[in-house]
Amino acid sequence: MDKSFEWRKAPRAHFAVLGDPISHSLSPVIHQAAYSALGLEYKYVAVRVPPEEFGEAVQHLSDLGYQGVNVTVPLKSLAARWSKNPDKFVARVGAANTINLLDNSATNTDAAGFMDTLPAVGVWSPAPVLLLGAGGAARALLAALIDGGHRVKVYNRTPENAKQMVADLGVKVEVIKEPNPEGVALVVNATSASLDDESVPVQWHRADRKTIAYDISYGKELSPFLLNAGLGGLKVVDGLEMLVAQAARSLEWWLGMVAPLDAMRRAAG
Ligand code: ATR
């Protein structure tokens, strides 16, 4: 899907994904496939919204009759602050990816969607995890992983940001100075490095052979993070299944219907 609209030129539709950049997003094809499977006549589009125009753009889409929007990079913290009615998880992590324009409520289906994918990648019980990053995405995943009983260590390029994240969330988690994956079952890349085609210098040679490398970003090519992990002989997982899982949860939150996961997965490719 390479079609997106500038927010001022957005067509009449029911749902959208907002971000900047956004033309690469698979969300429209995933949601549109879900509506077809459910026999719903809804339209879901991708709309480019620069962060400084977020409030104005959301108001405009609401006036056009949009019922809800997903938001992605770099709008997730803005969405949490914008919402008059954030759920508990959004209030706690300060990041939202799904908003309802009928009541200005907000939720975060990224974190729950990520947790949904863990059994299928081989993590079905609480495990030792190395989480990379300290931005909005990492905050949401850290809270969800801790809630799920996982034992998490955090590494971030700027350690102060990781310490701040841990303090803000009030969790007891070690912030490590080197990205050393020794003894962990899962290494999760929640940094935005892959979006810039950059890697995170994980010391893969110290990982156990069964360690899983999971990048929450997705693309046609493996990210440098996953390429390096794969070269180290590890199992690699990209963010495509998480994208489908969060889309399914968003649809269920908006419409109160069971999402047609298989159709959504097929559309994602
Ligand atoms: P998001 O909403 O996607 O989480 P963000 O809040 O801007 O985005 O956070 C980006 C995260 O990716 C941060 O943890 C950032 O590290 P710093 O705190 O040191 O800035 C991390 N990050 C971004 N580019 C990176 C790179 N090239 N290598 C390693 N970490 C990177």
Side-chain angles (χ1 to χ4, degrees):
M1 177 93 191
D2 258 348
K3 186 171 184 208
S4 62
F5 299 91
E6 296 298 311
W7 69 264
R8 288 187 180 82
K9 294 188 177 155
R12 285 194 184 276
H14 304 86
F15 296 96
V17 59
L18 319 184
D20 185 15
I22 198 62
S23 59
H24 65 284
S25 176
L26 291 176
S27 292
V29 290
I30 294 173
H31 282 272
Q32 222 53 75
Y35 303 151
S36 296
L38 292 169
L40 300 170
E41 303 262 314
Y42 288 140
K43 186 167 172 175
Y44 185 114
V45 294
V47 179
R48 192 179 78 88
V49 175
E52 55 283 3
E53 296 170 4
F54 182 75
E56 215 187 331
V58 169
Q59 187 57 51
H60 177 70
L61 297 176
S62 178
D63 293 344
L64 271 180
Y66 284 63
Q67 296 175 30
V69 293
N70 285 127
V71 308
T72 186
V73 179
L75 307 174
K76 291 180 188 178
S77 344
L78 281 169
R81 285 203 297 277
W82 166 92
S83 174
K84 298 200 173 53
N85 195 4
D87 71 12
K88 269 195 192 150
F89 190 83
V90 170
R92 180 169 154 222
V93 303
N97 76 321
T98 310
I99 59 190
N100 182 336
L101 295 173
L102 305 179
D103 62 3
N104 293 355
S105 56
T107 190
N108 186 313
T109 66
D110 282 332
F114 168 78
M115 297 303 284
D116 289 343
T117 65
L118 291 185
V121 305
V123 180
W124 45 80
S125 57
V129 178
L130 170 58
L131 177 66
L132 309 173
R139 267 168 206 258
L141 295 200
L142 178 57
L145 283 163
I146 295 288
D147 290 352
H150 298 278
R151 299 180 298 286
V152 187
K153 291 191 266 193
V154 176
Y155 167 82
N156 190 49
R157 180 177 63 178
T158 314
E160 294 73 37
N161 294 347
K163 286 183 192 143
Q164 189 63 50
M165 167 177 78
V166 166
D168 290 347
L169 290 174
V171 290
K172 284 209 180 81
V173 163
E174 188 189 354
V175 175
I176 57 176
K177 289 200 182 80
E178 303 286 335
N180 175 358
E182 210 171 327
V184 310
L186 178 68
V187 181
V188 184
N189 183 15
T191 73
S192 52
S194 304
L195 301 180
D196 299 328
D197 221 16
E198 285 171 13
S199 195
V200 184
V202 177
Q203 299 167 344
W204 292 116
H205 60 282
R206 300 172 95 161
D208 189 275
R209 296 287 293 183
K210 288 195 180 133
T211 301
I212 299 156
Y214 191 142
D215 195 329
I216 66 166
S217 73
Y218 64 92
K220 290 194 187 87
E221 313 276 328
L222 277 188
S223 64
F225 165 83
L226 290 183
L227 268 179
N228 289 337
L231 288 173
L234 305 186
K235 176 174 170 182
V236 300
V237 181
D238 75 4
L240 196 61
E241 186 61 24
M242 173 179 164
L243 179 78
V244 172
Q246 64 77 32
R249 281 181 172 263
S250 294
L251 183 145
E252 290 177 355
W253 188 72
W254 284 321
L255 301 177
M257 293 177 167
V258 177
L261 257 179
D262 284 346
M264 297 172 86
R265 213 173 261 140
R266 274 198 303 276

